[in-house]
Amino acid sequence: MATTAGTTTASTDLRQRLGGFLRAHRERLSPGDVGLPHTSRRRTSGLRREEVAALSGVSVAWYTWLEQGRVDTSRQVLDAVARALRLDDAAHRHALALAGFAPVAADRTASYDPDLRAMLDSWPDSPALLLGPALDILAWNRAYAAVWPDPADLPEERRNLLLLLVGDERHQRVLPDWEPVAVELYRHLRTRADRSPEDESFRRLTGRLDAARPDLAAWWACRSVGDFAPRTVELTPEGAHTPRTYGMTLLLTPRPQDTSILVQTPHAAPGPR
């Protein structure tokens, strides 16, 4: 597969798969979905090819050939087709991959109120994380990096609390009794996912969890939901041998941010008797 002047030369198989992918999405849309009037004379479901072509700024013949897998495309034109078909981020990346382009990286730059980061930094002794709706790690304080593996040392795509708890040995050494926490976090995640069915990040995370720990398939298939309850946990900071007791609480921030803060407050050591 070659890429020249912004256009790829894909294999016949990939061109046909791309065409079938675009056709399936075209057939799912109604005229009203894209702001077009509905007429009673429509004999096929979904949008017509000429409608997608007009919305994309290409000729009907060329768009027809694209669906038939007969032509290569530029990234600019495929982006326009993706917008016309209302593809979400995951579908857009998949279309680009089929066309031979490097997929668009998922936008992991989440905006959040800087006061939330300031709140984390105001807790010098309490490890704390700022989490996105799908439990992606957005920010952390120094106390967290002193106890847990520093998220700064991880690639951004791995900075997900649930993925790290179920699949990373360093995190499991800090929290040996990690399973109850992970189960409760997943139940919390399912609650949020059901409230935002249009958010693809939840579905993507479940797929990543299933790939990372297929032995926990019963967890990922479970539809149980619930709020994360405060608990007491034993954490053994990295490089230490003696566990310490912490209270772990998940604080929810108000919409539209829809983030949460996981804070671990150290319990005072018992005094001498």
Side-chain angles (χ1 to χ4, degrees):
M1 183 184 301
T3 303
T4 58
T7 302
T8 60
T9 303
S11 67
T12 299
D13 177 62
L14 283 178
R15 284 199 304 266
Q16 290 177 346
R17 288 168 59 190
L18 173 62
F21 182 74
L22 297 177
R23 182 171 60 254
H25 280 271
R26 173 175 61 82
E27 292 174 348
R28 293 177 189 172
L29 289 175
S30 68
D33 292 331
V34 296
L36 296 175
H38 181 81
T39 62
S40 58
R41 293 187 173 184
R42 304 184 75 91
R43 290 182 292 180
T44 58
S45 61
L47 294 180
R48 299 187 178 105
R49 284 174 174 164
E50 55 264 33
E51 291 169 333
V52 177
L55 291 169
S56 305
V58 299
S59 70
V60 178
W62 186 91
Y63 181 76
T64 300
W65 295 338
L66 181 64
E67 279 198 1
Q68 292 173 345
R70 296 168 56 188
V71 294
D72 293 305
T73 180
S74 71
R75 183 167 189 151
Q76 182 179 9
V77 170
L78 189 55
D79 286 345
V81 171
R83 288 192 296 270
L85 293 175
R86 303 298 194 265
L87 300 187
D88 60 28
D89 290 343
H92 188 187
R93 291 195 299 271
H94 186 65
L96 288 171
L98 291 176
F101 296 105
V104 174
D107 181 11
R108 300 182 61 84
T109 305
S111 60
Y112 55 85
D113 189 333
D115 287 343
L116 295 177
R117 177 57 189 264
M119 182 185 298
L120 267 62
D121 292 337
S122 71
W123 298 327
D125 301 315
S126 297
L129 289 173
L130 179 62
L131 301 169
L135 300 181
D136 291 317
I137 298 174
L138 306 180
W140 56 96
N141 61 7
R142 290 184 180 180
Y144 181 87
V147 173
W148 296 84
D150 191 343
D153 296 334
L154 298 171
E156 284 192 10
E157 63 271 13
R158 289 195 61 208
R159 293 179 194 169
N160 181 278
L161 178 60
L162 193 52
L163 275 171
L164 291 170
L165 283 179
V166 303
D168 185 78
E169 291 183 358
R170 292 175 63 193
H171 284 74
Q172 292 174 1
R173 284 196 293 269
V174 174
L175 178 62
D177 193 22
W178 59 269
E179 289 196 17
V181 175
V183 169
E184 285 293 291
L185 283 172
Y186 190 65
R187 293 177 71 233
H188 165 83
L189 180 77
R190 282 249 43 92
T191 304
R192 313 296 274 186
D194 288 344
R195 294 172 186 171
S196 304
E198 73 286 352
D199 192 334
E200 287 291 323
S201 62
F202 299 110
R203 188 176 298 116
R204 287 197 297 269
L205 176 59
T206 299
R208 294 176 68 193
L209 290 167
D210 191 37
R213 293 294 303 269
D215 55 310
L216 300 179
W219 289 20
W220 319 137
C222 180
R223 299 295 300 181
S224 178
V225 298
D227 294 327
F228 186 89
R231 66 194 55 239
T232 299
V233 295
E234 296 286 331
L235 302 181
T236 304
E238 282 211 300
H241 301 287
T242 305
R244 293 193 62 189
T245 304
Y246 289 79
M248 181 179 284
T249 306
L250 190 68
L251 308 173
L252 305 183
T253 65
R255 290 177 178 268
Q257 306 221 27
D258 208 18
T259 53
S260 56
I261 294 174
L262 186 72
V263 59
Q264 297 134 78
T265 306
H267 288 186
R273 296 183 178 181

